């Protein structure tokens, strides 16, 4: 029996249990703290967000980050679609996972990253599925 932890965040668990040839994923939480470094994605045009001054680091002249960083009230934000930290995929091949067990809706936010384009089966409580924000799934499609 082997147990792998794929998440560095203590409150966003993602574990893989292998036992007798069966691989089970226990929860698949998504660490979204990196999203706090991005400007909000406005649903309609916002002159306030559009006219924020650009910010450029003093020690670099990298053309790739030109216009990507914006200054807002003394804080620097990234002006692009937010990026998240899905569970580590270099330790275990997700295609080898037989089943995913979900304990609550907060522990299934990385599900689209793991199951996209595969035929995974996952099991969740009824309450977890009712509470799962469908709008979050739509967000993936819009980025």
């Amino acid at each position: 029996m082997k147990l792998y932890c794929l998440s560095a965040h203590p409150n966003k668990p993602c574990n893989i249990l292998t036992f007798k040839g069966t691989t089970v994923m226990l929860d698949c939480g998504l660490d979204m703290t990196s999203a706090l470094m991005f400007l909000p994605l406005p649903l309609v045009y916002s002159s306030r967000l559009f006219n924020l001054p650009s910010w450029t680091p003093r020690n670099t002249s990298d053309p790739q980050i030109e216009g990507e960083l914006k200054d807002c009230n003394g804080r620097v934000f990234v002006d692009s679609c937010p990026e998240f930290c899905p569970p580590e995929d270099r330790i275990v091949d997700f295609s080898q996972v037989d089943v995913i067990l979900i304990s609550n809706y907060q522990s299934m936010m990385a599900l689209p990253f793991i199951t996209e384009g595969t035929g995974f089966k996952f099991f969740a409580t009824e309450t977890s599925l009712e509470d799962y924000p469908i709008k979050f799934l739509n967000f993936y499609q819009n980025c």
Side-chain angles (χ1 to χ4, degrees), residues 37-111:
M37 301 307 295
F38 290 81
L39 284 174
L41 295 173
L43 297 175
V44 294
Y45 174 79
S46 169
S47 61
R48 183 175 178 204
L49 289 176
F50 184 75
N51 294 324
L52 287 173
S54 291
W55 185 88
T56 307
R58 292 182 199 152
N59 301 335
T60 186
S61 60
D62 188 358
Q64 289 183 344
I65 63 169
E66 242 178 71
E68 288 290 316
L69 302 176
K70 301 285 185 171
D71 184 355
C72 181
N73 296 328
R75 289 194 57 199
V76 177
F77 294 95
V78 180
D79 187 18
S80 67
C81 192
E83 296 177 7
F84 300 104
C85 301
E88 184 65 46
D89 62 351
R90 286 177 261 163
I91 298 173
V92 174
D93 182 10
F94 291 147
S95 66
Q96 301 298 314
V97 174
D98 296 308
V99 68
I100 301 173
L101 302 177
I102 305 295
S103 64
N104 65 71
Y105 80 93
Q106 291 180 340
S107 294
M108 65 192 298
M109 294 298 195
L111 206 53

Side-chain angles (χ1 to χ4, degrees), residues 105 125-133:
Y105 80 93
T125 63
E126 238 180 88
T127 307
S128 295
L129 292 175
E130 288 172 3
D131 291 340
Y132 189 63

